[in-house]
Amino acid sequence: DIGELAVNGTVNDIAMCGAVPEYLSLSFIIEEGLPMKEFWEILVSIKFACERAGVKVVTGDTKVVEKGKGDKIFINTSGVGHIHPKASISARNIQVGDQIILSGNMASHGMAIMSVREGLEFDSEIESDTTNLNHTIIGLVEKFGDSIKLFTDPTRGGVATVLKEIAQTEDFGVEISQASIPIDDQVASACELLGLDPLYVANEGLFLAFVSADKADEVMTELRQDENGANAAIIGSVVEDHPKQVILESTIGGKRVISMLPGEQLPRIC
């Protein structure tokens, strides 16, 4: 729910910097008439999410607005932590030959929301991938140090948009293989039914890692022993050709240029 998403989103943003999250602020804007039962469930989710991540809520605020002036509840979180001493996380560290790892099945979060909103039914329920990634991230930093050049979470805009943003920022190209990108079969089916490209669908419990080529296999072995990386895969690499462009090799062997996502593809929940 929104409480768990609020905590995990901020915790993960801090972790992507190679930092250990410690403290959160937590503020509510509540629409008049929100049932106390729903509010309590959100608070319990926040409590459990903070315990899993190992962070403390240290400050915050609550405001109530008139009926019809809000959409049930808005939650604002912000967080602080300290940079891990072995972390050297920056897009400027990326070099040609570096491998790109995706930590799990993409598009599950966005399609979990859309399948409910569109009334789609499948053999089993599609679940959001939302989780805290800080323990996984810091474990990799401690073991591999500056061999990990960059972490980033493919939230709004999905995997494609994040990779495009990185390539445009630096002077290199990116090549990814569609056949290597992990995705759940039901999620892929839901995307097809709704006419959505899963590369642009939001994720909340995944990260992309740019890793030195000589350490990529070791990072993969370590990551797959973690519950947050059981479905991890190397999906591409950094190349000298076509600087500032992301090229996708399709499952049938063709290639296409990946562009930025124009506007918002999915209704936002966070």
Side-chain angles (χ1 to χ4, degrees), residues 189-220:
S189 298
C191 288
E192 188 174 356
L193 280 172
L194 295 172
L196 300 173
D197 186 339
L199 281 168
Y200 293 94
V201 175
N203 310 275
E204 283 293 337
L206 297 186
F207 63 86
L208 287 159
F210 286 70
V211 181
S212 298
D214 61 338
K215 293 292 184 180
D217 289 339
E218 292 180 46
V219 172
M220 280 293 299

Side-chain angles (χ1 to χ4, degrees), residues 172-188:
F172 55 71
V174 169
E175 291 184 355
I176 57 175
S177 167
Q178 186 177 16
S180 301
I181 301 173
I183 184 171
D184 180 80
D185 289 341
Q186 286 198 126
V187 172

Side-chain angles (χ1 to χ4, degrees), residues 5 28 62 65 99 103 120 125 133 139 142 173 194 202 224 233 238 243 253:
L5 284 168
F28 300 103
T62 302
V65 297
Q99 301 294 289
S103 66
L120 301 179
E125 185 179 359
L133 297 168
E142 287 181 341
L194 295 172
R224 283 182 170 166
V238 178

Side-chain angles (χ1 to χ4, degrees), residues 88-95 98 149-150 166 169-170 172:
S88 181
I89 306 300
S90 173
R92 293 189 297 272
N93 297 334
I94 298 172
Q95 297 176 320
D98 288 346
K149 313 297 183 64
L150 184 71
I166 295 169
T169 301
E170 305 299 325
F172 55 71

Side-chain angles (χ1 to χ4, degrees), residues 191-268:
C191 288
E192 188 174 356
L193 280 172
L194 295 172
L196 300 173
D197 186 339
L199 281 168
Y200 293 94
V201 175
N203 310 275
E204 283 293 337
L206 297 186
F207 63 86
L208 287 159
F210 286 70
V211 181
S212 298
D214 61 338
K215 293 292 184 180
D217 289 339
E218 292 180 46
V219 172
M220 280 293 299
T221 299
E222 183 76 13
L223 187 53
R224 283 182 170 166
Q225 295 175 15
D226 189 296
E227 63 178 351
N228 291 331
N231 296 310
I234 297 174
I235 66 168
S237 61
V238 178
V239 297
E240 191 172 358
D241 298 336
H242 50 78
K244 300 188 182 298
Q245 297 291 340
V246 179
I247 304 297
L248 172 74
E249 182 179 359
S250 70
T251 52
I252 60 174
K255 293 186 177 182
R256 67 180 174 94
V257 176
I258 297 296
S259 60
M260 297 286 285
L261 173 65
E264 294 282 352
Q265 188 173 46
L266 295 173
R268 287 176 56 177

